[in-house]
Amino acid sequence: MLVTSEYVLKECLIVVENMVMMCGLFCVPVTKKRGCLLCGGLVLLAQILLGMLNGFEELPAVAFRVAGSTVQMLLWTEGKIIRRLAAYICSIEYLHLPYSCLNLSFFGIMGTPVAVQKENIHFQLARAALTIGMMALLAWGLRKIPRYLETLRDLQTKYFLVGSVCALAASLIQFYMEEMDGKGDSGLTFMVLLCMVVVCGLFYGLGVGFVILDIFRKKYKAESRLKDEYLQITRDYVRVIGDNSKEIRKMHHDLQAHVGSLKYYMERKEYQKAEAYLDEMQEHVTQRRRKMVSVNHEIVDAVLLEIQVRAEELQIQWQIEGIFPSVLSISDFDLCTIFSNLLSNSLEACEKVQKNQRYIRLSIRQFGNHLVVELMNPVMESVEIDRLGTMTTKEKGESHGYGVANVKAAVEKNHGEIFFENQGTAFVTRILFSNLSCCKIRDSNGT
């Protein structure tokens, strides 16, 4: 049975609604593969043809529409299938919120029961168009919030599932209340529907609130861990400095005796024994006092010292060039976050390559008001730069994987930019801080 073009338009608007909600609001990436886009279009065309032949409200068309819409969204988006499916289900459930608001608005303006409105194709088209506009404006506004896009793309799949459960509860309430529509006084019905919208909004908000609270919990936990590491690095640095000072005092105390011994050999012209004695003194100094690396910043020096201990065990070659300016507008905590995470990642990358290929090269350069930090290390294979900060190759992924994300946040907080690059068998991280002299100098707490 052939139906009017209005139903075809309705099917197209439903697809647009889902795409705006899923890709615009929930930030699921749209695929760039032409084959997938074409296949999704063919599925939509099949949905429309089946609806035109059998009627859009008939069971075969409805069943194929549900399955076809799911396939379309999976074909037109990228990422893990489970995550995309969860995001799609969540987007469908959350579309009921603007639906209920628009239903109530039309009921208040026109006085026509919602149950009657939903049977009107023109009302369905108007509601779909308004929903698309509302969701598009909301997505546009939210994407202007700093790190909104990164946060949504890094969001774990379980959050979409929790949101779907909360939205499903709201949808069931909405369905029940709409069934009561038109069976009593219109004024009372309007108030009941209004209360229903408020209750549903609370359920929708519950899902969003759970996600926000859990994100803040994890962020607080990560920051607490970073502060603990910061304190531990500082303690270790102070301890090593103290140990070196003790060794220097011991050497100074024994220096007179050593000079006397060398003088004795020299007076007796036993030059070989004197040379051997000097070699023994040098070896003793090397063993007892660790070589200190300094880049003119105590906290970064402390991080370098900690990494150096681990690097010596892994037989990694060090190469450090440049120093920090004497006055720096970046907080000690942020610098600790940046260098401890990046250098730890470099160590882990070096562990995976052969010992004779292990190296870490750190360069610090200043050009006027610009500071450039560059870190290079070998890698077994090219790094997926687009996924940096959203994944981890460590076994306990739940407690890891935040390193690069924390580095990005610390860099952006200090008006900087970070770039990653694959250079053959090497991976390069480059950080640019601009207009350093224009930034307020922060204390060690970053205030």
Side-chain angles (χ1 to χ4, degrees):
M1 178 180 66
L2 186 66
V3 297
T4 63
S5 58
E6 293 165 331
Y7 284 95
V8 176
L9 178 60
K10 173 190 170 185
E11 293 297 310
C12 295
L13 288 177
I14 290 174
V15 174
V16 177
E17 281 180 345
N18 293 333
M19 287 296 292
V20 170
M21 176 66 82
M22 187 175 175
C23 301
L25 207 60
F26 291 158
C27 302
V28 177
V30 179
T31 185
K32 298 180 181 178
K33 300 177 182 177
R34 295 182 179 179
C36 292
L37 293 173
L38 178 61
C39 290
L42 292 176
V43 173
L44 175 60
L45 181 61
Q47 287 180 223
I48 294 174
L49 291 176
L50 183 62
M52 293 176 66
L53 292 173
N54 296 308
F56 282 92
E57 303 303 326
E58 297 298 323
L59 182 60
V62 173
F64 188 77
R65 182 192 308 161
V66 173
S69 298
T70 305
V71 173
Q72 286 173 41
M73 294 301 107
L74 294 179
L75 286 171
W76 287 345
T77 55
E78 291 183 343
K80 294 182 178 180
I81 293 180
I82 299 298
R83 176 182 175 82
R84 284 183 286 159
L85 187 60
Y88 173 62
I89 295 173
C90 190
S91 65
I92 292 177
E93 296 294 342
Y94 268 84
L95 275 172
H96 286 91
L97 180 59
Y99 283 174
S100 60
C101 293
L102 290 173
N103 289 342
L104 182 64
S105 299
F106 275 100
F107 179 53
I109 296 173
M110 302 173 60
T112 307
V114 175
V116 176
Q117 295 175 14
K118 291 171 66 175
E119 298 297 325
N120 189 324
I121 184 64
H122 296 99
F123 166 75
Q124 295 176 22
L125 292 176
R127 187 182 66 177
L130 289 172
T131 299
I132 293 171
M134 289 167 56
M135 293 300 100
L137 285 174
L138 181 61
W140 177 75
L142 290 175
R143 282 171 176 261
K144 287 190 172 183
I145 299 175
R147 298 190 62 79
Y148 174 80
L149 183 62
E150 292 81 357
T151 301
L152 263 292
R153 287 190 174 180
D154 294 347
L155 207 61
Q156 296 181 10
T157 303
K158 66 178 182 180
Y159 293 126
F160 289 109
L161 297 176
V162 172
S164 298
V165 172
C166 295
L168 178 61
S171 300
L172 293 175
I173 296 174
Q174 176 184 350
F175 176 78
Y176 175 77
M177 297 306 300
E178 286 181 353
E179 288 297 314
M180 304 295 294
D181 181 24
K183 298 181 180 180
D185 180 73
S186 60
L188 179 60
T189 302
F190 180 81
M191 293 303 299
V192 171
L193 289 177
L194 179 60
C195 293
M196 178 269 295
V197 171
V198 173
V199 172
C200 289
L202 292 176
F203 273 95
Y204 289 116
L206 179 64
V208 176
F210 173 83
V211 174
I212 294 174
L213 288 175
D214 201 55
I215 289 175
F216 274 105
R217 179 187 66 82
K218 288 191 173 183
K219 183 179 179 182
Y220 175 78
K221 184 177 179 181
E223 288 180 351
S224 297
R225 179 179 57 82
L226 286 173
K227 290 179 179 179
D228 290 340
E229 291 179 359
Y230 174 86
L231 291 174
Q232 187 59 46
I233 288 172
T234 305
R235 291 193 193 101
D236 291 342
Y237 183 69
V238 172
R239 178 181 54 78
V240 172
I241 293 294
D243 292 343
N244 283 340
S245 298
K246 290 180 181 178
E247 290 300 323
I248 291 173
R249 289 196 296 270
K250 289 180 181 179
M251 290 171 56
H252 183 269
H253 180 269
D254 297 336
L255 185 60
Q256 189 66 33
H258 293 314
V259 171
S261 298
L262 287 172
K263 184 178 181 182
Y264 171 78
Y265 288 129
M266 296 299 291
E267 288 176 350
R268 295 175 61 87
K269 297 183 179 180
E270 295 179 355
Y271 300 120
Q272 290 183 349
K273 290 184 178 181
E275 185 178 357
Y277 192 87
L278 283 172
D279 291 340
E280 186 178 354
M281 287 179 60
Q282 184 177 8
E283 183 180 356
H284 175 79
V285 171
T286 302
Q287 291 177 349
R288 300 299 299 274
R289 186 177 65 86
R290 184 177 301 280
K291 182 180 179 182
M292 301 293 295
V293 177
S294 178
V295 291
N296 196 34
H297 194 284
E298 289 185 351
I299 296 301
V300 180
D301 289 347
V303 174
L304 292 175
L305 178 63
E306 182 196 28
I307 300 297
Q308 180 186 352
V309 175
R310 296 164 56 189
E312 289 178 354
E313 298 173 355
L314 298 173
Q315 300 179 23
I316 299 174
Q317 295 182 357
W318 277 85
Q319 183 178 342
I320 300 177
E321 297 179 353
I323 60 175
F324 282 102
S326 55
V327 178
L328 196 61
S329 59
I330 308 170
S331 72
D332 293 347
F333 184 79
D334 289 337
L335 283 174
C336 181
T337 300
I338 293 169
F339 279 88
S340 62
N341 281 293
L342 291 181
L343 288 169
S344 294
N345 291 342
S346 295
L347 284 178
E348 291 175 6
C350 287
E351 283 187 277
K352 298 177 183 178
V353 303
Q354 298 180 2
K355 290 184 179 180
N356 60 351
Q357 297 177 349
R358 297 175 179 177
Y359 64 86
I360 295 178
R361 296 172 186 167
L362 175 63
S363 172
I364 302 170
R365 292 168 291 175
Q366 185 177 10
F367 303 96
N369 292 331
H370 304 281
L371 181 69
V372 180
V373 177
E374 184 176 284
L375 182 66
M376 178 184 291
N377 58 263
V379 288
M380 283 288 292
E381 55 186 14
S382 296
V383 178
E384 297 183 56
I385 295 176
D386 293 338
R387 298 183 63 189
L388 280 175
T390 64
M391 64 174 182
T392 177
T393 58
K394 301 178 184 178
E395 294 180 358
K396 297 181 180 179
E398 185 178 354
S399 59
H400 296 286
Y402 298 101
V404 176
N406 289 332
V407 170
K408 288 181 177 180
V411 170
E412 293 174 1
K413 173 185 173 182
N414 292 278
H415 314 286
E417 297 178 89
I418 186 168
F419 308 93
F420 302 102
E421 181 182 357
N422 289 299
Q423 293 185 359
T425 59
F427 180 71
V428 179
T429 302
R430 192 173 292 109
I431 301 175
L432 172 65
F433 293 106
S434 303
N435 301 322
L436 294 179
S437 62
C438 299
C439 301
K440 179 182 178 181
I441 299 177
R442 300 179 176 90
D443 58 23
S444 58
N445 294 321
T447 57

